[in-house]
Amino acid sequence: MKMGTALLYDDEMTRYKLLWTDPVCKIEVPERLTVSHEALVKAGLAERCVSVPVREATDADILLVHSEEYLEAVKKTPYMTLEDLMEFTLQYGDVYFHPNIYHCAKLAAGAALQLVDSVMTGRVRNGMALVRPPGHHSMRGAASGFCVFNNVAIAARYAKQKYGVERVLIVDWDVHHGQGVQYCFEDDPSVLYFSWHRYEHQKFWPNLPDSDYDCVGKEKGAGFNVNVPWNKVGMKNSDYLSVFCHVLLPIAYEFSPDLVLVCAGFDSAIGDPEGEMCATPDVFAHLTHLLMNLAGGKLCAVLEGGYNLTSLHQSVCQTVQTLLGDPPPQPANLDGPCVSALESLHCVRSAHREYWSCLKHEADPPTSDVSTKAIELAAEGKEKQKKAEEESGAEVAAWLEPLKRTAPPVRSALVLPDGVACPEGCARFSASADPAIVHKLRETFLKDSDDSDALTALSSLTALVQKMEQNEICNGLALVRDVSMATMCVVQHAEAAHLDRVFIVCVGDAVVPSQCRRDDGTTLLVQFSSEESEEQQHRFYIPLCLKKGCSDVSGFTQAALGLVLPLGYEYDPSLVLLVRSAGSGLCDGAWQQLTGLLQGLAQGHTLVLMEEGEEACVGPTASSLLGVAAASLGSLRAPLQDDVKALEGLRRRLQADWKLLQTTAAPEPGRKTEADPARFLIKK
Ligand code: FKS
Ligand code: ZN
C-alpha cells in the first residue's frame, strides 16, 4: 500500500499575467502560486511530498472536454497582439488572455493528468497540483472566470478512459460555482459533481439559475449534480462541516467513488475578497481528512481560486499536511450552522431525496417564505450599508495563523497480550509501571483477584493515555479481556492526564460502566447496540439501537456520518475512545471507516479498546490507525426503514443540545430561533 503524497508545481505557470486594467481580473495574480509553493517549502511540507513533474496536456486530452473550434482559437493566442488579445478576451466573461496563457493552461491540465496517473498507478496515495490558470468555469467552447481549460473535468474523463475508473466524485469547495464542470457531466451518472458556492439568490457571479439547489442533473445523470448555494456571506466552519456531514458525505458514501477529485479553491476561506466567507484555513484540514477514506484514499486536489494570499497559503498548507497523513488540528469555533446555511441544507437534502436512499426520509422542502428562491426585500439597503462599510474599511477579516501541526514521534502504539503478534509499522507498548499506580489499579479494578496479566494491561493503558496527552504517541490500540473495565480505567486516567473531554464511541453490546456516563460533559458516550436501551435520552449518553446491530453497513454508515461525526465535532473531545466488544457484527470495512473518520477529532488522539476474541480485527484496526485509507465499502444499498426512522428521530430530539445535528431551519421544539422579521419577498 503506497502512502506518499504527490506535489505538482512548475513555476512556468507563474509566467502570465493581466496586461491591461480590469478590476475584475486583477486579483488573479502569479503570486498566488509562488506564495502557496513557498509556504509549503517553508513549512517543510514540500520535501515530504513526492515531486512529480508537470507535463503539457495534449490536444487529445483537451478534446476530452473542449471543442476543436475552441482549442484552435486558443492556440492562436500566443501570436496575438495586445489588441487582439483584448478583443479575444471580450467574447468571454471575467477572464483575460496573455501570450503565454495557452502554454500555462496546457501545463495546468497536464499537471492534473500527471496527478491522476501518479495516484491511479499507485505511485502515491494522493496529491495536490498547484496550477494556474484554474479550470472549473471553462466550458466546452468557452473560457470563463480566469479559466481556459477545465483541468478537473479533463482529469475525470481521462481517468475513466485510461484507467477504466467507473465512478468519479468531484468535490468543488471553491467559493464559486464550477458551472463548467456541471455542464460537462450533468447527464452523466458516472461523475458525481458536488459544489457549494456563494449565490445570494443569484446575485453573485456567475449569476446562473443553474447554480441553485434544484439543478440536480439531467436524464440518467439526475441526482448526480449537487449544488449547495450560500445565500449569505460570512459562512463559517460549522456551516461547511454541516454540509459535509449531512449532504456530501452521506451521498458520497452511497455513491462509492473509485477516485475523488477536488476543485480545491481557497476563496471559500476567511479574508478572501471574492468569497467574503469566514471559514478558517484549518477547516480545509478537516474537509480533506473527511474525503480521505473514500475511494481507498485516491484523492487528487487541483488548485482553483483563492485571492487572499495569506489565507490561500495557509489553507494550501493545511490541505497538503493532511494529505500527508498528519492528524488535523482541533477545529475552531463550531457553534452550529447559521439559519441561512440550514435553509440551503434543507433545500438540497429535499431536492435530492428521490435520488439517494440516505435522504429518502427527508422532510418536505421548506415553505416558500424560507425558500432560497426568495429574494431579499432589504437587499438594496444592505447593499448600501455594505458599500459604506467597504469604503470606511470597517470590517477587515482577522484570524489567527493556524498553529504549527506537529505529528507525535510515534503514530500508533499497541497494548497486546503475549502471543498476539504486533502488526508491521506499529510499536508494541508496555510500560514499566509506577508501583503507586499499580497499587491503585489493583485496588480499584481487581479487588482481591490476582490477575497479573490484567494488571499489566491496565497499567500499560494508563501510561499510554499519558503519552498521548504529552503528544509523544498519536494513537493506540489495546486488546483487553474486559473492555468495560478498561474503558473505566481510561476514563479515570484521562481525567488525571488533563484530557478533559472523552468521546466514547462504543460498538457492540459491551456494558459501559455508569461511571463513564457522566452528565457533567467530561464524557460523551454514543453506543451502537442491537438492544433497545431503556434509558431516556440524555445529553451526554446516546444509545443508538440499530435493527440488526451493526451488521447493516448502510445504516451504520448513515449513523456514523450524520450522527457520530457531527456530535464529535461539536463536542470537540481531547481524546476519542473507541470501544469494540466481541461479536459486534460490524464488518472490517465499516469499522475502518469509523476509525478513520474519528481520527479527525482530538488531534488524532484515538484510543481503540477491543475485547479479546477480536484478534482478527487487530490488523485492520492498526492499519487504519497508521493512516492507511479504509477499503471502499462499495455502493451502499438503502438502509433499513426502521433504522432511518430511528436515526432521524434521535437526531431531531438531540438537536436542541447539539446544533451540528440540525438539518433544517424550521423551528424545532426547544430550539432557539433567530428573530425572523418579514424580510423575504416571494419571487413570482
Ligand atoms: C464578482 C466578479 C467575479 C470572476 C470570478 C472568477 C472566479 C474564479 C475562480 C477560479 F477558481 F476559477 F479561479 N469575477 N465579484 O475562483 O472560481
Ligand atoms: Zn473561485
Side-chain angles (χ1 to χ4, degrees):
M1 174 49 124
K2 266 285 168 198
M3 291 287 284
T5 295
L7 180 62
L8 292 97
Y9 172 73
D10 189 324
D11 61 9
E12 177 62 15
M13 287 182 280
T14 66
R15 296 198 190 105
Y16 78 91
K17 63 174 188 193
L18 179 63
L19 296 176
W20 50 85
T21 325
D22 179 347
V24 166
C25 293
K26 69 170 191 221
I27 55 176
E28 205 293 292
V29 294
E31 290 74 22
R32 297 180 51 241
L33 228 50
T34 46
V35 159
S36 303
H37 187 251
E38 273 162 21
L40 288 173
V41 173
K42 256 206 198 125
L45 296 169
E47 64 176 19
R48 292 173 58 193
C49 293
V50 178
S51 163
V52 172
V54 166
R55 70 165 169 94
E56 286 183 11
T58 64
D59 283 7
D61 297 330
I62 294 164
L63 293 172
L64 287 170
V65 165
H66 298 280
S67 67
E68 223 152 309
E69 299 86 294
Y70 176 62
L71 174 57
E72 291 310 314
V74 176
K75 270 188 190 174
K76 297 201 177 95
T77 59
Y79 312 101
M80 288 182 184
T81 63
L82 188 65
E83 241 168 55
D84 291 344
L85 282 170
M86 284 173 83
E87 200 186 305
F88 184 74
T89 291
L90 284 178
Q91 321 168 54
Y92 309 114
D94 296 34
V95 64
Y96 64 90
F97 280 82
H98 176 282
N100 198 36
I101 202 172
Y102 169 55
H103 184 218
C104 295
K106 281 190 289 185
L107 292 174
L113 302 183
Q114 290 282 82
L115 177 52
V116 166
D117 280 331
S118 308
V119 167
M120 290 310 301
T121 57
R123 215 183 135 202
V124 293
R125 168 167 54 158
N126 57 30
M128 172 146 206
L130 294 179
V131 303
R132 271 179 87 235
H136 68 156
H137 299 301
S138 65
M139 291 159 274
R140 182 172 153 77
S144 166
F146 315 153
C147 301
V148 176
F149 298 138
N150 202 314
N151 310 319
V152 167
I154 295 171
R157 289 249 160 93
Y158 178 85
K160 287 183 52 180
Q161 189 190 61
K162 184 162 176 189
Y163 298 100
V165 165
E166 280 177 31
R167 287 179 303 276
V168 181
L169 167 66
I170 301 178
V171 177
D172 189 338
W173 71 45
D174 186 279
V175 86
H176 299 95
H177 182 219
Q179 85 280 31
V181 184
Q182 171 171 314
Y183 296 149
C184 189
F185 300 111
E186 59 191 347
D187 58 0
D188 184 349
S190 71
V191 178
L192 171 58
Y193 177 63
F194 166 92
S195 173
W196 62 35
H197 35 268
R198 180 171 173 186
Y199 190 58
E200 296 178 290
H201 307 287
Q202 218 178 302
K203 285 204 190 67
F204 193 70
W205 189 87
N207 312 90
L208 303 167
D210 298 350
S211 311
D212 215 346
Y213 64 85
D214 52 358
C215 293
V216 297
K218 298 188 166 140
E219 293 148 38
K220 282 196 175 129
F224 296 89
N225 191 83
V226 183
N227 283 334
V228 181
W230 299 125
N231 287 314
K232 289 231 158 73
V233 295
M235 294 298 162
K236 298 190 183 128
N237 295 354
S238 290
D239 303 302
Y240 287 12
L241 287 170
S242 285
V243 167
F244 262 53
C245 290
H246 299 302
V247 177
L248 174 60
L249 294 174
I251 292 179
Y253 271 85
E254 187 169 337
F255 179 64
S256 187
D258 308 305
L259 176 65
V260 179
L261 304 179
V262 180
C263 287
F266 300 100
D267 41 15
S268 43
I270 189 163
D272 192 278
E274 269 292 304
E276 296 186 52
M277 299 299 174
C278 292
T280 49
D282 51 279
V283 85
F284 294 99
H286 292 277
L287 305 185
T288 305
H289 185 262
L290 290 169
L291 299 175
M292 281 171 65
N293 282 296
L294 288 159
K298 294 196 286 302
L299 187 158
C300 302
V302 180
L303 183 68
E304 298 279 359
Y307 308 99
N308 176 312
L309 298 182
T310 307
S311 84
L312 170 63
H313 80 243
Q314 291 174 351
S315 304
V316 166
C317 287
Q318 292 294 326
T319 303
V320 171
Q321 189 162 4
T322 308
L323 290 175
L324 282 163
D326 288 0
Q330 204 102 9
N333 347 309
L334 297 181
D335 49 3
C338 69
V339 170
S340 175
L342 285 170
E343 284 170 10
S344 300
L345 203 63
H346 185 179
C347 289
V348 184
R349 282 171 55 99
S350 51
H352 277 276
R353 65 181 179 183
E354 54 181 304
Y355 306 106
W356 300 99
S357 62
C358 56
L359 302 177
K360 201 151 125 203
H361 302 277
E362 178 64 14
D364 287 334
T367 46
S368 47
D369 61 337
V370 295
S371 154
T372 70
K373 291 277 177 203
I375 283 177
E376 266 187 70
L377 184 62
E380 207 179 304
K382 274 212 171 152
E383 283 307 315
K384 274 191 198 144
Q385 188 195 331
K386 207 169 118 189
K387 264 228 172 96
E389 272 172 11
E390 271 166 16
E391 275 158 21
S392 70
E395 270 193 70
V396 181
W399 68 99
L400 296 173
E401 184 183 343
L403 295 174
K404 198 168 144 56
R405 291 160 58 182
T406 35
V410 176
R411 170 84 186 204
S412 303
L414 273 52
V415 175
L416 298 170
D418 296 333
V420 176
C422 186
E424 208 187 312
C426 299
R428 186 185 277 272
F429 183 84
S430 72
S432 49
D434 175 334
I437 293 182
V438 174
H439 179 76
K440 194 152 172 245
L441 286 171
R442 192 197 305 272
E443 289 242 294
T444 323
F445 296 106
L446 298 174
K447 307 276 161 10
D448 31 36
S449 96
D450 201 22
D451 186 339
S452 68
D453 287 352
L455 198 57
T456 317
L458 291 182
S459 53
S460 293
L461 208 48
T462 55
L464 180 53
V465 170
Q466 206 141 42
K467 294 253 188 258
M468 286 175 44
E469 193 273 335
Q470 293 157 346
N471 228 27
E472 284 172 38
I473 296 177
C474 182
N475 60 38
L477 183 166
L479 189 63
V480 295
R481 194 160 313 150
D482 182 340
V483 277
S484 305
M485 187 192 284
T487 302
M488 197 152 98
C489 173
V490 170
V491 166
Q492 280 181 8
H493 283 81
E495 203 170 19
H498 309 291
L499 296 164
D500 43 8
R501 286 183 309 279
V502 184
F503 185 32
I504 312 172
V505 179
C506 190
V507 174
D509 297 322
V511 180
V512 178
S514 57
Q515 291 98 312
C516 298
R517 307 180 201 162
R518 305 189 172 161
D519 44 25
D520 60 356
T522 53
T523 61
L524 167 62
L525 169 62
V526 177
Q527 179 154 29
F528 284 92
S529 68
S530 51
E531 290 154 28
E532 199 77 61
S533 157
E534 283 121 60
E535 231 153 312
Q536 262 301 305
Q537 250 74 44
H538 177 291
R539 180 161 183 200
F540 296 103
Y541 169 52
I542 302 169
L544 215 162
C545 170
L546 296 175
K547 253 285 160 72
K548 297 192 184 163
C550 296
S551 60
D552 177 54
V553 177
S554 305
F556 179 83
T557 306
Q558 187 148 346
L561 299 173
L563 212 107
V564 178
L565 210 51
L567 279 171
Y569 270 111
E570 188 162 349
Y571 181 60
D572 186 23
S574 32
L575 176 69
V576 174
L577 186 57
L578 185 50
V579 182
R580 177 181 169 113
S581 49
S584 66
L586 184 63
C587 67
D588 285 354
W591 170 252
Q592 282 188 318
Q593 290 290 349
L594 179 66
T595 314
L597 289 167
L598 289 175
Q599 285 176 75
L601 304 169
Q603 292 177 282
H605 292 315
T606 307
L607 178 54
V608 182
L609 300 178
M610 304 201 318
E611 196 169 332
E612 282 182 17
E614 295 287 286
E615 280 77 0
C617 195
V618 168
T621 310
S623 99
S624 169
L625 289 173
L626 285 169
V628 177
S632 161
L633 295 172
S635 303
L636 296 180
R637 287 173 304 120
L640 302 172
Q641 280 263 36
D642 288 352
D643 286 350
V644 177
K645 284 205 186 119
L647 280 173
E648 279 306 299
L650 189 54
R651 229 157 36 78
R652 214 150 286 164
R653 246 173 304 155
L654 291 166
Q655 280 175 6
D657 289 329
W658 302 99
K659 299 202 178 104
L660 278 182
L661 296 180
Q662 300 173 7
T663 54
T664 62
E668 301 282 347
R671 159 131 48 102
K672 272 192 262 161
T673 46
E674 281 171 30
D676 191 18
R679 53 195 172 123
F680 294 112
L681 182 69
I682 314 307
K683 191 167 64 176
K684 287 270 161 69

